[in-house]
Amino acid sequence: MKKVIMLIAAVFIIIQFFRPQKNISSQVQANAIEQHYAVPQNVSTLLKTACYNCHSNNTSYPWYNNIQPIAWWLSGHVNEGKEELNFDEFNLYTVDKKKKKLHEITKSIKEGEMPLSSYTLIHTNAKLSKQQQDEITEWATSLENEIR
């Protein structure tokens, strides 16, 4: 039993040296949604608080991201989120994809799918009130109708 515990401890220590690349960008992205479309300040603040950690090119990492295998899990989660929707790459999408993504924002918020409950469990400031949900969905619907 002692050998098994020592082996597990050794593996845990060794994996600490293998870290995924962090999703951190210090510059304003040329294709960011805010660079091409009107995003009201209140909506921008809500998106940055509740969405951007997984859906942009700049993640604010918690302290526990320095522990493996948690960092691998978070990296996979962020990469998956960016593949689904990336606000920093929004203007690279086709018109149809932009409209679809805006529609999906509205749908996922109304259905309570976003932000993820696993995310808001730790990031309580990312929980959206009904009024905040309405602000985002009204903006997304309006922009969806505006894009041609």
Side-chain angles (χ1 to χ4, degrees):
M1 186 66 164
K2 187 176 181 180
K3 287 182 181 182
V4 171
I5 292 172
M6 294 294 285
L7 179 63
I8 291 171
V11 168
F12 182 75
I13 291 169
I14 290 169
I15 66 173
Q16 300 312 306
F17 295 100
F18 299 94
R19 301 192 176 275
Q21 182 176 1
K22 290 190 176 182
N23 181 50
I24 298 176
S25 175
S26 60
Q27 48 188 292
V28 175
Q29 304 290 306
N31 290 303
I33 194 167
E34 299 95 359
Q35 299 297 324
H36 300 273
Y37 300 100
V39 183
Q41 184 60 47
N42 61 323
V43 172
S44 179
T45 299
L46 293 172
L47 293 175
K48 288 176 181 170
T49 302
C51 310
Y52 272 40
N53 269 346
C54 295
H55 297 286
S56 77
N57 291 336
N58 195 21
T59 300
S60 176
Y61 289 96
W63 65 268
Y64 51 84
N65 184 65
N66 294 313
I67 302 169
Q68 299 297 15
I70 295 170
W72 292 331
W73 179 78
L74 287 174
S75 178
H77 191 75
V78 168
N79 289 336
E80 183 180 326
K82 285 174 50 177
E83 285 176 20
E84 187 61 36
L85 170 65
N86 188 336
F87 287 105
D88 284 335
E89 304 296 332
F90 190 82
N91 206 50
L92 293 175
Y93 298 162
T94 65
V95 169
D96 288 341
K97 186 173 181 177
K98 289 175 186 177
K99 290 174 155 257
K100 180 181 179 194
K101 293 302 175 186
L102 290 163
H103 180 76
E104 288 173 355
I105 289 169
T106 300
K107 182 180 176 201
S108 64
I109 289 176
K110 284 184 177 180
E111 292 178 356
E113 295 173 0
M114 286 289 164
L116 294 174
S117 57
S118 60
Y119 182 75
T120 58
L121 183 66
I122 295 171
H123 302 88
T124 55
N125 63 331
K127 289 181 182 176
L128 298 172
S129 68
K130 175 70 171 117
Q131 178 185 349
Q132 292 170 325
Q133 291 173 351
D134 290 344
E135 290 175 27
I136 293 172
T137 58
E138 287 170 14
W139 163 78
T141 301
S142 174
L143 185 55
E144 178 187 355
N145 293 331
E146 176 186 316
I147 293 177
R148 302 205 187 294

